[in-house]
Amino acid sequence: MTELRYQIVIAGPGSVGKSAITLQFISQQFIRDYDPTIEECYKKHIYVDSEVAYLDILDTAGQEEYSSLRSHHFQNGDGFLLVYSVDNRKAFEEIVDFHDEILRAKDADSLPIVLLANKIDLPKNNHEVSKKEGKDLADSYGYPFMETSAKNVINIEESFAECVRSIRKERAALEQKSGGKGKKGKGKCLLM
């Protein structure tokens, strides 16, 4: 039986709109004021490809002073929305560090991650990162890429759905690899 619960972690540098994306998804409202997040948890269920998905969503802090707390949360995530803002070149460059931190925390080479270029509603002359740069980065990791706007509700629900699809794909591959035993079939014990 397919596991229907998904722990999705929203990660990325500060001020890129992680909380705005999350709140738009959870409550269909756009928050204009920036209030740095330490950690916020939400629950929601959606249908992805006609199958229910129960989401536990963790909106994490982007500030460096919370990196140890972040790493702990990364360990528990099933999938990740990795967010940068198109109007912030430095945030885009920091995505590599966040990506590496997630892989270290999970002790993995690859994970269900969707790369999000947020704030695409801003005027083009404010964009410091092109769509091609974001897509090229996602392609280099083998991850899906989406452009989002919490303000204009662009690809908000779709980004969570894509993350669920990525998690399902990984779970199916693990189950097939372990001979149908799922995650439990991964390790073997020898009692003597």
Side-chain angles (χ1 to χ4, degrees):
M1 180 168 164
T2 305
E3 173 67 40
L4 303 177
R5 185 155 301 281
Y6 305 87
Q7 173 85 31
I8 296 179
V9 179
I10 317 298
S15 304
V16 298
K18 298 181 300 295
S19 295
I21 288 170
T22 304
L23 291 172
Q24 184 60 256
F25 177 66
I26 296 296
S27 59
Q28 293 76 47
Q29 60 179 325
F30 177 68
I31 307 299
R32 292 184 185 279
D33 299 326
Y34 175 66
D35 185 18
T37 301
I38 296 176
E39 163 192 318
E40 295 290 338
C41 300
Y42 303 92
K43 293 186 182 302
K44 183 171 181 166
H45 77 274
I46 60 172
Y47 286 89
V48 179
D49 305 328
S50 302
E51 194 175 325
V52 70
Y54 297 98
L55 308 183
D56 293 324
I57 301 163
L58 183 63
D59 180 11
T60 62
Q63 293 76 14
E64 183 57 37
E65 58 265 27
Y66 299 111
S67 63
S68 62
L69 185 60
R70 235 184 1 243
S71 290
H72 171 72
H73 294 308
F74 290 167
Q75 291 172 358
N76 299 322
D78 296 317
F80 302 85
L81 294 179
L82 194 50
V83 184
Y84 69 90
S85 175
V86 297
D87 69 333
N88 188 331
R89 166 70 54 189
K90 185 177 184 307
F92 176 70
E93 292 167 355
E94 289 177 29
I95 285 297
V96 174
D97 296 331
F98 277 84
H99 174 261
D100 293 348
E101 185 180 346
I102 292 168
L103 293 183
R104 272 192 311 276
K106 296 291 286 183
D107 192 23
D109 295 326
S110 180
L111 290 166
I113 294 176
V114 179
L115 183 62
L116 302 183
N118 195 33
K119 301 185 184 181
I120 62 163
D121 54 276
L122 294 173
K124 292 288 184 197
N125 61 338
N126 289 353
H127 291 209
E128 295 181 5
V129 183
S130 71
K131 178 179 181 177
K132 181 182 181 337
E133 288 174 290
K135 177 115 178 63
D136 287 349
L137 180 61
D139 288 347
S140 74
Y141 292 133
Y143 300 141
F145 170 77
M146 300 181 91
E147 291 185 304
T148 60
S149 167
K151 181 179 181 184
N152 292 346
V153 198
I154 298 171
N155 285 330
I156 300 303
E157 186 158 337
E158 294 84 351
S159 60
F160 284 89
E162 189 60 34
C163 191
V164 168
R165 286 185 193 100
S166 295
I167 296 167
R168 286 177 178 167
K169 185 177 174 182
E170 181 195 52
R171 286 179 178 175
L174 285 173
E175 190 170 320
Q176 185 177 28
K177 187 177 179 181
S178 67
K181 296 177 186 169
K183 289 183 179 181
K184 293 177 184 171
K186 246 175 118 175
K188 295 185 171 124
C189 292
L190 178 60
L191 298 176
M192 300 181 94

